[in-house]
Amino acid sequence: MQPAARMSRLGTESAFEVLARANAIAATGNSVINLGIGQPDFQTPANVVEAARKALADGHHGYTPSNGIPELREAVAADIENRIGTPIDPDCVVIVPGGKVTMAMAMMMFGEPGAEIMYPDPGFPIYESMIRYSGATPVPIRLYEESGFSFSAQEVLASITSNTRLIILNSPANPTGGVVAKSEIDALVAGLDAHPNVAIMSDEIYSRMTYDGLEHVSLLSYPSIRDRLILLDGWSKTYAMTGWRMGWGLWPASLVDDAVRLCINIHSCVNAPSQFAGIEALQGPQDAVVAMVKAFDERREIVTAELNNIPGMSCVRPRGAFYAFPNIRETGFSAKTLQDRLLEEAGVATIAGTSFGQQGEGYLRFSYANSVENIREAMGRIREWMAANV
Ligand SMILES: Cc1ncc(COP(=O)(O)O)c(C=O)c1O
């Protein structure tokens, strides 16, 4: 057999690999606390589950329109308008099986040999993986720990070349928990006026998870880039629905037909009951979301304080999502070594910063999607392990 050469350029997401190793260790009877996982440790709200059950009982078993059922696209448009204040045409909303799919579609649309696509580093690993797969050249956007893992707008603008097709942004961010300041986004958007052919994909899947009273700043609130902005969001994180595979993309009107053709070619449509659940999630009571974000906020305080208490680690305050990204350079270990040894010797799963790009060396990602009790126990184990090994 001779698979296409591009298959060798496809990367992966180490979180799944660490999860498999953590499960294998747990299966031998050893205790592992998983702070590696990127999904809420909450159940999908009961009213949402019930909506899916009802959809199945009502006979919604067939294909749906490829871009999603109209009621769901209307619910998404209304939700965006509610939160961001921008009127949205539901026909520009494309429902897909998870946030990742909008990402892959954007890369397939804009990536080809000779093209450059910019992406945050450290960032969600699938960005770089899919850029490489498309044949385009990945151009990292450096994030700075000293500015809470923000990029510098001037640096991003200075890296744009005549080959730049697409810029990927992600705030609040995985893996850093960073939130980019509005002033930096303002500067970037203003500078983009000089580059009218460059598209922007803003991954705002953690848009509902900001802390310290910070308002989420959506790229959608900038009219000057509206006609070249792809907005990625979905239900996975906000409604604890990672396994339902429900995401949405808001596409520029000029790209909607292409996005829908990709859907038709790849997955036909998202399963019908999940789409009905998605309507209930958006239109039903939001108290479960509020309670989940409150719980994450409390854990964030604990994780940050505990990490800063571990000799060799220092952690800037995460402002969004459910991740902390401490600097571990003073421990003397590489990120991968510390990840592996903490998993195997201390029974705590974390993810090496290098899984998120070259700039991630010297950092570990901690997810605080776990109980306060487990987080405290994990931190105790790490402190003890450090005392014996550093
Ligand atoms: C930044 C970011 N974007 C997108 C996704 C993908 O979400 P989904 O599970 O809906 O595909 C994730 C998941 O971890 C993420 O962290």
Side-chain angles (χ1 to χ4, degrees):
M1 293 194 292
Q2 193 175 348
R6 65 176 172 272
M7 284 311 296
S8 65
R9 300 196 300 265
L10 200 56
T12 188
E13 201 184 334
S14 317
F16 286 100
E17 199 184 294
V18 171
L19 179 63
R21 278 168 62 200
N23 287 342
I25 294 173
T28 64
N30 290 307
S31 152
V32 178
I33 299 174
N34 197 339
L35 303 184
I37 191 87
Q39 68 178 343
D41 56 317
F42 294 85
Q43 293 289 99
T44 304
N47 57 313
V48 177
V49 176
E50 184 49 38
R53 200 196 314 266
K54 180 170 182 314
L56 282 173
D58 289 350
H60 294 288
H61 302 169
Y63 291 126
T64 76
S66 208
N67 54 346
I69 52 178
E71 306 89 302
L72 179 58
R73 287 187 291 103
E74 279 157 24
V76 170
D79 177 62
I80 301 173
E81 197 167 334
N82 241 345
R83 289 188 294 115
I84 306 173
T86 313
I88 298 296
D89 177 357
D91 284 345
C92 290
V93 175
V94 179
I95 308 298
V96 280
K100 258 181 188 168
V101 180
T102 298
M103 195 181 295
M105 283 168 33
M107 254 67 99
M108 282 188 244
M109 246 185 237
F110 287 94
E112 62 183 335
E116 292 175 6
I117 300 182
M118 298 170 67
Y119 69 102
D121 181 359
F124 189 53
I126 301 306
Y127 303 143
E128 185 184 349
S129 166
M130 281 305 298
I131 296 169
R132 287 191 189 282
Y133 180 77
S134 77
T137 304
V139 178
I141 296 173
R142 193 159 173 195
L143 305 183
Y144 291 94
E145 182 181 356
E146 49 281 18
S147 52
F149 293 105
S150 175
F151 54 75
S152 143
Q154 289 319 317
E155 253 181 46
V156 176
L157 292 167
S159 307
I160 296 176
T161 73
S162 56
N163 295 323
T164 307
R165 299 274 182 89
L166 178 70
I167 299 178
I168 299 172
L169 302 172
N170 173 222
S171 175
N174 179 9
T176 62
V179 174
V180 177
K182 181 171 182 304
S183 54
E184 213 57 47
I185 301 179
D186 289 349
L188 178 67
V189 173
L192 284 172
D193 282 348
H195 305 282
N197 297 327
V198 175
I200 300 105
M201 190 194 81
S202 184
D203 180 344
E204 301 185 13
I205 200 135
Y206 298 102
S207 60
R208 299 281 291 273
M209 295 171 180
T210 56
Y211 311 109
D212 296 335
L214 275 186
E215 287 269 327
H216 171 62
V217 180
S218 174
L219 270 285
L220 191 60
S221 49
Y222 295 85
S224 67
I225 55 165
R226 175 68 185 92
D227 61 354
R228 50 189 168 127
L229 173 72
I230 302 160
L231 184 64
L232 180 163
D233 203 334
W235 287 260
S236 296
K237 316 288 173 172
T238 308
Y239 297 99
M241 290 175 71
T242 51
W244 296 69
R245 308 316 298 141
M246 280 282 288
W248 55 260
L250 178 69
W251 291 82
S254 61
L255 295 180
V256 171
D257 285 351
D258 286 340
V260 177
R261 270 190 303 142
L262 281 171
C263 296
I264 292 169
N265 275 272
I266 298 171
H267 57 266
S268 294
C269 64
V270 174
N271 74 83
S274 284
Q275 294 192 51
F276 283 90
I279 298 174
E280 175 61 21
L282 295 174
Q283 295 181 341
Q286 300 294 299
D287 33 326
V289 180
V290 174
M292 184 168 77
V293 174
K294 185 163 176 282
F296 281 144
D297 193 8
E298 284 160 13
R299 297 166 186 185
R300 176 181 69 113
E301 299 288 354
I302 294 165
V303 165
T304 314
E306 292 268 4
L307 287 170
N308 280 317
N309 222 352
I310 295 174
M313 290 197 187
S314 64
C315 185
V316 299
R317 192 175 171 75
R319 314 291 297 273
F322 42 76
Y323 307 109
F325 204 58
N327 186 320
I328 53 137
R329 288 211 172 87
E330 283 184 13
T331 65
F333 293 109
S334 73
K336 179 77 167 59
T337 302
L338 196 55
Q339 168 203 285
D340 290 346
R341 293 194 60 185
L342 288 180
L343 177 59
E344 273 142 34
E345 298 169 26
V348 180
T350 62
I351 313 275
T354 39
S355 300
F356 304 95
Q358 279 187 354
Q359 300 294 337
E361 184 54 277
Y363 300 91
L364 276 188
R365 188 190 79 172
F366 286 75
S367 156
Y368 44 89
N370 210 321
S371 67
V372 168
E373 190 190 3
N374 281 344
I375 290 170
R376 288 200 194 280
E377 165 70 19
M379 295 298 163
R381 290 185 190 182
I382 295 175
R383 210 175 304 113
E384 223 168 88
W385 186 89
M386 289 286 186
N389 292 281
V390 174

